[in-house]
Amino acid sequence: MEFKRHRRLRSSEGMRAMLRETQLSTDDFIYPIFFVEGEGIRQEVPSMPGVYHVSLDYLEAEMQDLVDHHIRSVMVFGVPNHKDEVGSSAYDHNGIVQRAIGMIKEKFPELLVIADTCLCQYTDHGHCGVIKDGDVLNDESLTLLAQTAVSQAQAGADMIAPSNMMDGFVAAIRKGLDEAGFEHISIMSYSVKYASAYYGPFRDAAHSSPQFGDRKTYQMDPANRLEALREAQSDVEEGADFLMVKPALAYLDVLRELKDRFPLPLVAYNVSGEYAMIKAAAQNGWIDEESVVLETLLGMKRAGADLIITYHAKDASRWLNKQR
């Protein structure tokens, strides 16, 4: 009986390395960080071991750590002291995110700074837009989101990453940026953001849980694939420069479809719940953390991601550099 000798191409480490189709690099990683008001704060998030709330007096040390790990990109989230019904701290020129962005660009101009653009961390109700009679108002929310994006660009952000899933959010933000003279600022759209159970630890970190109801009227149903293509198509038409799928691990099929259909850079968000599961299993000695993390991130790249937002970025960078 004749058969193919596929194992010939796996016969040694040198052979496997030569034929490896997908490569992970520290250039692939975007590191999310949570800045908080106050001083002397570097407090670990209970559900996310290794992830911290950081006050601005620790900012320089945190950014230097990223540079030392050869990580080039950071996504900035803010946890404000003041919250109100319209999330005014999100577009306050002296807000926590705006101040953090300004400090990073002043001290580490070589870092690419991406601003998460949403209202949920800043509203007292925890939703991503303006509320009236229990409903999230779409068009009224767009005005505030565009205002937030402009304030982040004015602070020095290199890229705006709107995560709110309002209809027309890319068009509104693009128009707002262009009118304010920021035509050169790119938009990394959370194009396909599912109403996922994997976000729990993030909401712990960002203090952004809804105070009533849920986000299922604007975030996507996890059962839907074709809807994801419609959402991404709208963002392409409205001027997005990057597309994103969030979460990543349970939606690799969607990631692959977007990669095959749209000629834009594609981002996978390796979200907090995915991170926390691996951390918990590793702390219990059930898995080899390094191997599982690198395999997981490699799978996201193989599925089509050009970039990966991940809380594992520093660990993964250290492990990759060790392998060289």
Side-chain angles (χ1 to χ4, degrees):
M1 178 182 176
E2 293 188 4
F3 52 85
K4 301 291 184 181
R5 297 283 183 181
H6 298 292
R7 290 179 57 190
R8 292 171 183 156
L9 303 184
R10 302 194 289 269
S11 59
S12 68
E13 175 54 33
M15 180 72 78
R16 293 190 295 273
M18 182 172 67
L19 299 175
R20 194 158 288 139
E21 300 171 26
T22 306
Q23 302 285 345
L24 269 180
S25 163
T26 55
D27 289 342
D28 300 329
F29 302 145
I30 300 168
Y31 185 69
I33 189 165
F34 299 93
F35 287 109
V36 297
E37 304 280 5
E39 294 182 353
I41 300 170
R42 190 176 186 272
Q43 184 175 12
E44 192 171 44
V45 178
S47 56
M48 299 177 71
V51 174
Y52 294 84
H53 287 135
V54 180
S55 54
L56 295 182
D57 51 324
Y58 280 100
L59 178 146
E60 187 168 355
E62 292 291 326
M63 294 303 103
Q64 186 61 55
D65 192 35
L66 291 184
V67 171
D68 292 344
H69 280 86
H70 307 287
I71 295 168
R72 298 173 181 267
S73 306
V74 60
M75 178 171 277
V76 178
F77 294 89
V79 184
N81 283 342
H82 173 72
K83 299 191 179 194
D84 57 34
E85 62 182 5
V86 292
S88 61
S89 292
Y91 41 89
D92 183 346
H93 291 285
N94 197 40
I96 183 65
V97 162
Q98 287 78 1
R99 282 182 285 143
I101 291 169
M103 290 177 66
I104 296 171
K105 293 309 294 184
E106 177 185 358
K107 297 176 182 295
F108 298 89
E110 72 278 14
L111 283 176
L112 184 76
V113 178
I114 305 167
D116 177 79
T117 305
C118 198
L119 300 178
C120 60
Q121 298 105 289
Y122 308 93
T123 56
D124 53 15
H125 47 73
H127 281 283
C128 302
V130 178
I131 299 292
K132 183 177 180 181
D133 298 329
D135 292 329
V136 180
L137 302 181
N138 193 92
D139 296 7
E140 291 82 351
S141 301
L142 295 180
T143 301
L144 300 183
L145 291 165
Q147 193 173 336
T148 300
V150 170
S151 74
Q152 293 168 336
Q154 289 170 336
D158 299 294
M159 189 181 302
I160 301 300
S163 58
N164 52 86
M165 288 297 285
M166 297 295 110
D167 291 337
F169 69 104
V170 172
I173 288 173
R174 183 73 273 161
K175 182 174 184 290
L177 289 171
D178 290 354
E179 290 178 349
F182 293 107
E183 299 93 341
H184 61 289
I185 298 295
S186 55
I187 296 176
M188 177 186 286
S189 174
Y190 286 64
S191 302
V192 181
K193 183 178 179 181
Y194 286 92
S196 172
Y198 283 97
Y199 300 151
F202 174 90
R203 292 176 182 173
D204 183 23
H207 300 172
S208 63
S209 295
Q211 298 304 299
F212 66 89
D214 53 43
R215 295 178 179 152
K216 293 180 179 180
T217 65
Y218 45 103
Q219 294 179 359
M220 282 183 47
D221 186 333
N224 292 354
R225 179 182 61 85
L226 296 179
E227 183 183 5
L229 302 180
R230 296 195 298 270
E231 289 280 358
Q233 181 67 50
S234 293
D235 287 357
V236 171
E237 293 169 357
E238 292 175 21
D241 300 286
F242 297 74
L243 302 177
M244 186 193 302
V245 175
K246 181 184 181 184
L249 197 56
Y251 301 91
L252 295 179
D253 59 323
V254 176
L255 196 69
R256 182 73 258 169
E257 288 217 50
L258 263 63
K259 184 65 174 178
D260 289 342
R261 288 173 180 257
F262 301 107
L264 292 181
L266 184 59
V267 184
Y269 199 140
N270 177 209
V271 299
S272 60
E274 298 166 358
Y275 173 87
M277 290 191 301
I278 289 177
K279 281 291 185 182
Q283 288 180 349
N284 278 285
W286 297 336
I287 60 171
D288 178 330
E289 182 179 1
E290 176 180 342
S291 298
V292 170
V293 168
L294 293 180
E295 183 177 339
T296 299
L297 298 177
L298 189 68
M300 293 172 189
K301 283 244 14 210
R302 191 186 63 250
D306 298 292
L307 298 166
I308 304 171
I309 302 169
T310 178
Y311 304 96
H312 293 294
K314 288 192 285 188
D315 286 337
S317 173
R318 186 173 67 254
W319 295 326
L320 289 172
N321 288 324
K322 180 185 68 175
Q323 292 176 1
R324 290 178 179 175

